[in-house]
Amino acid sequence: MEHVPALDEDLKKTLGPATAKVLAEQLGLHTALDLLHHYPRRYAERGELTSLAELADQIDEHVTVVAQVADARLLTYQGSRGGGKRLEVTITDGSGRLQLVFFGSGVHKPHKELLPGSRAMFAGKVGMFNHKLQLAHPAYEPLGADASDRDAAAAFASQLIPIYPACAKLESWKIAKCVDAVLPRAQEVVDPLPPALREDRALVPLTEALLKIHRPVTKADIEDARGRLKWDEAFVLQVALARRRHADSQLPAVPRRPTPGGLLESFDAKLPFTLTEGQQTVSKEIFDDLATDHPMHRLLQGEVGSGKTMVALRAMLAVVDSGGQAAMLAPTEVLAQQHHRSITEMMGELAEGGMLGGSDRGTKVVLLTGSMGMPARRQALLDLITGEAGLVIGTHALIEDKVQFHDLGLVVVDEQHRFGVEQRDALRSKGKQPPHLLVMTATPIPRTVAMTVFGDLETSVLDQLPAGRSPIATHVVPAKDKPHFLARAWERVREEVENGHQAYVVCPRIGDGEDENGKGAKGAKGAAAKKKAAAEEDGDRRPPLAVLEIAEQLTRGPLAGLSVEVLHGRMDPADKDDVMRRFTAGEVKVLVATTVIEVGVNVPNSTVMVIMDADRFGVSQLHQLRGRVGRGSAPGLCLLVSEMHEASPARARLAAVAATLDGFELSRIDLEQRREGDVLGQAQSGVRSSLRMLAVIEDEEVITQAREEATRVVAADPELTELPGLRTALDALLDTEREQYLEKG
């Protein structure tokens, strides 16, 4: 990797050890180049008062505001330790007022400087005192101007002040001074974009973009800079992904084609329904990939209940037909057991290959989970290594070293976002040659996120529900404002059960005083810390409702006399399986559960779901949960119970879920409401820190064009030998962690 010494130099040399330490620890900025890419969040104008009205939503956050002093009062008070002075300053910006307070010896300087009519930038943590917003001991930077002539005053008033993402120990204007110290080095940056691409798109050079983003003279400067910097981020990331796709296309793989008159044909002949048009289209894409001599890397995303498992199973059977084995990796034991049960039921005698009564065209379908007894586990491992079992469904237990396959041809990863790339890679490495990979998710992902986060995978989308699926009606139940609505919700559950159906009740927490991971007494300390943090975060809100408590209340109260059982992640696996079996068989009428039922659980007779404290779940998660009902011929009902106020953002989120069954629309809403970095950072490690300017929802056009350009550039020059600037930018993006992420993705 080429190093540009001045840019890669530790900030200690330029800014001193104390400032450099804060920048490194609090903001992750280590070099001059890092600091140049720490862009202003917004810009204040000296002639414009920025909004104080928005601060009500930012309690406990560090903020920077530009405002004018309305009045200042120096008060003397008597305390338990004697008297003291307190300075109260009221600032205004036309949209609202805010109180600043200074105590003790800290009052003297602001008392002289913060005079009524003066203007300043203020930074501090938003707090609440006596039901009023305030900043205690804020740092401030006066913005007064003594310019004598009007032109100078006008220039001063219209100057754009960059407001940087800051932290408690380093205010925005101090970061601005740090940037000033390294800004001359912007002349040395290596431009990653090919010159022809830059000219075609009329993008400013990178050095100019960095100068304009940090020290704009006009708003047009900011637009020029943003346009250019977004392109850099999109293009360099897409080049990394395009190179990954190119490298994958060079790997060898065994082509897997279904045998005429074989297992897949026998299975299709048994199906009591016709595949949807979408299932047929996606299956063709997958079969075409499986027939090639390099590994398939495909993402299959589909609406809740769109029949992804059926598509995946047919692909697995095609691989078994060709003499290989297929493994399905599920995130939880409940889901692995559910998949194993439904797949063996769908296959019938075809799932009993080699057994009495089994089909001579069939194969063995084995389950492998961490909690299996030793004899069953030993038999499963033997069936895998001999090739007796063509299909295996399991949890992360599949990844262990002792698990060996006869000839692993296809890996199907269900609910991809629950697995780290290391786990996926460990399973893929068990093939003699790289196996084909099919990644499935029921969380709809907007197209641009798929291109950014899963850009090394080809994407198939199932957006059509199978025939016979019923619509799901969703309603918000405002439990605090209208308690009789909640009473009616339990009546509806009872009515559904009396009509022969079943119900889910979902709660955010397990209960019984332990934390969700079941650490018991040993984990009590950690649980207490978590509880304290949650309490601080939630302010005066009560703890989330718990499965064990709600189940008891329902059994004694509104659902007395009905068969009510609980299901959660801390139960013994055998007990979990027993409850799910009895619920599937219809013996259990109401299942009170955590989100352990969020994905894959398929009980067509369940028609109603009540989600308690629904505001504590994300939009996509609510959509997933809702997908557990309405899976049969009877219509589904989902009731979102919340105590939040009607005007709160949380209630707006619930209203959005109630208003549409379109998962792609909801995922867009979800993404817009959460911070960009959260979505990308948690979806895949190694993408978050590379996106500072690019917004994956708003910048769809840039991402699409960048992907096309990147694919073209990599096809012409896979090693980027003709583009050293791009190679350097790629090396900077692909630090060790990201290199591993892309290698393993």
Side-chain angles (χ1 to χ4, degrees), residues 143-430:
L143 298 176
D146 297 328
S148 51
D149 73 271
R150 284 186 182 178
D151 292 344
F156 183 86
S158 64
Q159 187 180 334
L160 293 160
I161 305 165
I163 307 289
Y164 287 92
C167 59
K169 293 181 180 175
L170 213 58
E171 295 85 12
S172 170
W173 54 84
K174 288 183 183 167
I175 293 172
K177 286 173 183 170
C178 295
V179 171
D180 283 338
V182 300
L183 207 48
R185 296 186 193 172
Q187 304 293 342
E188 301 165 37
V189 294
V190 181
D191 199 320
L193 295 192
L197 188 157
R198 202 174 68 227
E199 283 155 26
D200 287 351
R201 310 238 165 229
L203 298 168
V204 300
L206 181 54
T207 294
E208 188 182 326
L210 289 170
L211 293 172
K212 283 181 168 178
I213 200 74
H214 289 292
R215 299 297 171 261
V217 177
T218 65
K219 289 184 178 173
D221 285 352
I222 299 169
E223 289 313 303
D224 284 351
R226 281 186 172 151
R228 165 61 211 252
L229 295 167
K230 281 181 178 183
W231 249 96
D232 279 22
E233 286 180 10
F235 182 68
V236 174
L237 183 58
Q238 290 302 334
V239 165
L241 295 165
R243 291 185 75 216
R244 180 71 250 139
R245 291 195 300 275
H246 183 270
D248 285 339
S249 72
Q250 309 302 305
L251 289 172
V254 178
R256 308 283 180 173
R257 298 181 182 89
T259 312
L263 182 57
L264 179 62
E265 272 189 24
S266 304
F267 175 74
D268 283 350
K270 281 169 53 72
L271 286 179
F273 52 81
T274 311
L275 295 176
T276 66
E277 196 180 320
Q279 285 175 316
Q280 289 173 18
T281 305
V282 169
S283 289
K284 183 181 183 311
E285 291 171 352
I286 291 170
F287 288 152
D288 288 350
D289 283 357
L290 289 173
T292 62
D293 55 9
H294 57 82
M296 166 173 78
H297 286 88
R298 189 166 282 279
L299 170 68
L300 171 57
Q301 53 169 323
E303 274 292 7
V304 175
S306 58
K308 292 181 301 301
T309 308
M310 173 60 69
V311 168
L313 175 57
R314 294 184 71 248
M316 292 165 84
L317 296 177
V319 169
V320 176
D321 254 356
S322 73
Q325 292 168 292
M328 181 183 270
L329 188 59
T332 64
E333 293 212 352
V334 168
L335 188 50
Q337 288 160 345
Q338 177 82 29
H339 277 320
H340 182 254
R341 197 155 44 237
S342 61
I343 284 171
T344 48
E345 280 167 11
M346 281 193 280
M347 288 176 65
E349 76 279 2
L350 296 173
E352 296 163 1
M355 292 189 261
L356 276 175
S359 164
D360 55 355
R361 286 187 187 140
T363 187
K364 232 178 187 183
V365 181
V366 301
L367 175 70
L368 189 65
T369 66
S371 65
M372 281 170 72
M374 195 43 78
R377 186 181 177 78
R378 204 174 283 125
Q379 185 60 51
L381 292 173
L382 187 65
D383 289 341
L384 288 180
I385 199 164
T386 58
E388 197 73 12
L391 301 185
V392 58
I393 292 104
T395 56
H396 56 274
L398 279 176
I399 295 163
E400 292 168 10
D401 290 344
K402 61 183 78 162
V403 180
Q404 293 181 332
F405 291 83
H406 176 66
D407 179 16
L408 181 60
L410 171 66
V411 173
V412 178
V413 180
D414 193 18
E415 286 310 312
Q416 126 72 28
H417 62 283
R418 304 281 189 94
F419 289 100
V421 283
E422 290 81 7
Q423 292 168 305
R424 230 162 65 190
D425 186 51
L427 186 51
R428 282 175 59 195
S429 68
K430 292 180 181 291

Side-chain angles (χ1 to χ4, degrees), residues 624-681:
Q624 286 297 310
L625 287 165
R626 166 171 66 183
R628 301 305 108 213
V629 295
R631 299 176 79 86
S633 53
L637 172 66
C638 179
L639 301 173
L640 307 174
V641 179
S642 172
E643 292 187 358
M644 297 302 279
H645 190 270
E646 194 172 359
S648 65
R651 279 284 293 276
R653 250 190 3 252
L654 298 183
V657 175
T660 180
L661 289 170
D662 182 341
F664 286 92
E665 174 59 26
L666 288 172
S667 68
R668 184 173 275 267
I669 292 167
D670 198 17
L671 196 59
E672 284 166 353
Q673 288 181 345
R674 288 154 65 187
R675 289 180 189 150
E676 198 81 38
D678 292 349
V679 181
L680 297 173

Side-chain angles (χ1 to χ4, degrees), residues 362-580:
T363 187
K364 232 178 187 183
V365 181
V366 301
L367 175 70
L368 189 65
T369 66
S371 65
M372 281 170 72
M374 195 43 78
R377 186 181 177 78
R378 204 174 283 125
Q379 185 60 51
L381 292 173
L382 187 65
D383 289 341
L384 288 180
I385 199 164
T386 58
E388 197 73 12
L391 301 185
V392 58
I393 292 104
T395 56
H396 56 274
L398 279 176
I399 295 163
E400 292 168 10
D401 290 344
K402 61 183 78 162
V403 180
Q404 293 181 332
F405 291 83
H406 176 66
D407 179 16
L408 181 60
L410 171 66
V411 173
V412 178
V413 180
D414 193 18
E415 286 310 312
Q416 126 72 28
H417 62 283
R418 304 281 189 94
F419 289 100
V421 283
E422 290 81 7
Q423 292 168 305
R424 230 162 65 190
D425 186 51
L427 186 51
R428 282 175 59 195
S429 68
K430 292 180 181 291
K432 290 170 184 167
Q433 282 195 319
H436 299 280
L437 174 70
L438 180 65
V439 163
M440 299 198 297
T441 178
T443 305
I445 305 163
R447 182 167 160 269
T448 46
V449 180
M451 283 195 293
T452 309
V453 179
F454 304 104
D456 56 334
L457 302 173
E458 299 301 325
T459 304
S460 295
V461 177
L462 268 180
D463 51 10
Q464 194 183 1
L465 292 185
R469 275 290 161 85
S470 304
I472 305 168
T474 308
H475 303 285
V476 179
V477 177
K480 207 167 195 173
D481 309 344
K482 299 176 179 172
H484 60 286
F485 276 35
L486 182 58
R488 176 68 188 124
W490 300 128
E491 283 172 18
R492 284 292 290 113
V493 169
R494 194 174 268 285
E495 285 164 14
E496 287 298 313
V497 171
E498 283 166 0
N499 286 334
H501 298 301
Q502 289 159 277
Y504 296 101
V505 178
V506 181
C507 303
R509 204 164 56 90
I510 297 172
D512 83 0
E514 294 189 30
D515 73 340
E516 297 305 86
N517 298 316
K519 295 192 176 67
K522 286 182 187 172
K525 201 171 175 184
K530 272 188 185 175
K531 211 167 185 179
K532 183 171 181 256
E536 283 170 6
E537 191 181 308
D538 283 352
D540 298 331
R541 289 180 75 184
R542 59 158 173 71
L545 294 171
V547 166
L548 301 178
E549 293 151 20
I550 291 294
E552 192 179 334
Q553 287 170 23
L554 293 176
T555 313
R556 288 180 177 177
L559 303 185
L562 300 184
S563 163
V564 177
E565 293 268 4
V566 302
L567 182 72
H568 56 76
R570 214 167 52 231
M571 287 166 63
D572 180 87
D575 293 342
K576 276 193 280 198
D577 197 36
D578 176 56
V579 170
M580 270 317 297

